[in-house]
Amino acid sequence: MVEIKTDASLDAMRVAGRVVADALSAVRAAATPGIRLLDLDEVARTVLREAGATSPFLGYRPSFAPTPFPAVICASVNDAIVHGIPDGYRLRDGDLVSIDCGAVVDGWAGDAATSFTVGATHPEDARLMETTRRALEAGIAATVVGARIGDVSHAIGSVGRAAGYGIPHDFGGHGIGRAMHEDPPVPNDGRPGRGLVLRHGLVIAIEPMFLSGGGDGYYAAPDGWTLRTTDGSHAAHFEHTVAVTDDGPRVLTLP
């Protein structure tokens, strides 16, 4: 069921969104060569704890997962697309890192993700990240009253396909509110003019993820969570929680 939020609920979700933004900023600042992914998870835990927030990631177990998720961030490195479990891996110069984080404050959730490189940035990674960021911006711009979910999906996919990147079709954005994952699903590719009509108060998480090798293929790693590119190419992932309003898109996970 699709839930339409009140303006007061949108303000409450903005509080959670700021916590997510703060956590992502702190993690990115700490992501230097030699630091462990587990240490980055602890950085995010500290931000959430000090803000009085809880994590919708920690203990989450969807139908595909063999075990509950053990962390408050997803940390996906290089060929990992999404859902990477923080472990003892130490970041290296040139790594492309995608961090996804959520927060719940007073029962309302926020969800966002960012990608960046550690130290030196390879030109192909810079292009991949910039294109994925532009796709997120295109999806946000399409999130207006009277548009349809397909318009958002088409805006995202058009940017990725034009750049020659792959898109993992089974994973994309989603509604968000009291729960981290709500209806409607928001694919990262699609046909315009189709799907749910967007109304004031609808909140969705828009999250393009592109694969630099150009193929759409991926596989689940042995941990049952991490998704990796089939061809070993790098992936990037950006996300914001966005409210549809009569005044235009309202991004709830900005700093």
Side-chain angles (χ1 to χ4, degrees):
M1 182 180 73
V2 174
E3 179 189 3
I4 300 300
K5 279 71 175 178
T6 66
D7 289 346
S9 297
L10 298 185
D11 290 341
M13 292 187 70
R14 177 71 177 116
V15 174
R18 283 196 181 96
V19 175
V20 174
D22 289 346
L24 289 175
S25 178
V27 168
R28 180 166 186 170
T32 54
I35 195 167
R36 301 181 307 162
L37 297 180
L38 279 169
D39 298 327
L40 297 183
D41 185 67
E42 186 56 40
V43 168
R45 286 176 189 250
T46 299
V47 173
L48 267 60
R49 182 170 59 251
E50 292 179 350
T54 58
S55 171
F57 289 19
L58 185 63
Y60 180 61
R61 188 178 184 182
S63 58
F64 68 81
T67 58
F69 196 76
V72 305
I73 62 170
C74 296
S76 307
V77 181
N78 295 329
D79 66 324
I81 307 166
V82 287
H83 302 162
I85 296 177
D87 58 15
Y89 177 82
R90 294 185 181 275
L91 292 178
R92 303 169 184 172
D93 188 71
D95 277 344
L96 194 167
V97 184
S98 296
I99 302 293
D100 194 352
C101 185
V104 176
V105 178
D106 294 330
W108 293 102
D111 188 9
T114 189
S115 292
F116 54 86
T117 51
V118 178
T121 302
H122 298 291
E124 58 268 30
D125 287 341
R127 177 176 177 266
L128 173 65
M129 290 186 293
E130 177 57 28
T131 302
T132 312
R133 186 183 298 109
R134 284 195 296 107
L136 173 59
E137 293 170 352
I140 292 171
T143 308
V144 296
V145 171
R148 292 180 178 269
I149 288 293
D151 299 324
V152 179
S153 299
H154 179 72
I156 296 167
S158 294
V159 174
R161 294 303 187 194
Y165 293 138
I167 301 173
H169 285 293
D170 297 327
F171 293 87
H174 49 87
I176 183 171
R178 289 288 186 183
M180 178 172 59
H181 289 145
E182 298 181 351
D183 288 332
V186 186
N188 284 325
D189 202 4
R191 298 177 64 179
R194 298 197 171 195
L196 181 76
V197 176
L198 307 186
R199 297 168 49 194
H200 178 93
L202 176 68
V203 184
I204 56 176
I206 301 173
E207 51 178 323
M209 49 195 81
F210 293 161
L211 319 183
S212 63
D216 298 343
Y218 65 89
Y219 68 95
D223 62 25
W225 275 99
T226 309
L227 302 182
R228 296 188 178 276
T229 61
T230 301
D231 59 10
S233 64
H234 285 188
H237 176 209
F238 285 86
E239 178 183 16
H240 270 308
T241 295
V242 184
V244 181
T245 81
D246 292 329
D247 296 322
R250 182 182 179 189
V251 182
L252 303 178
T253 42
L254 289 172

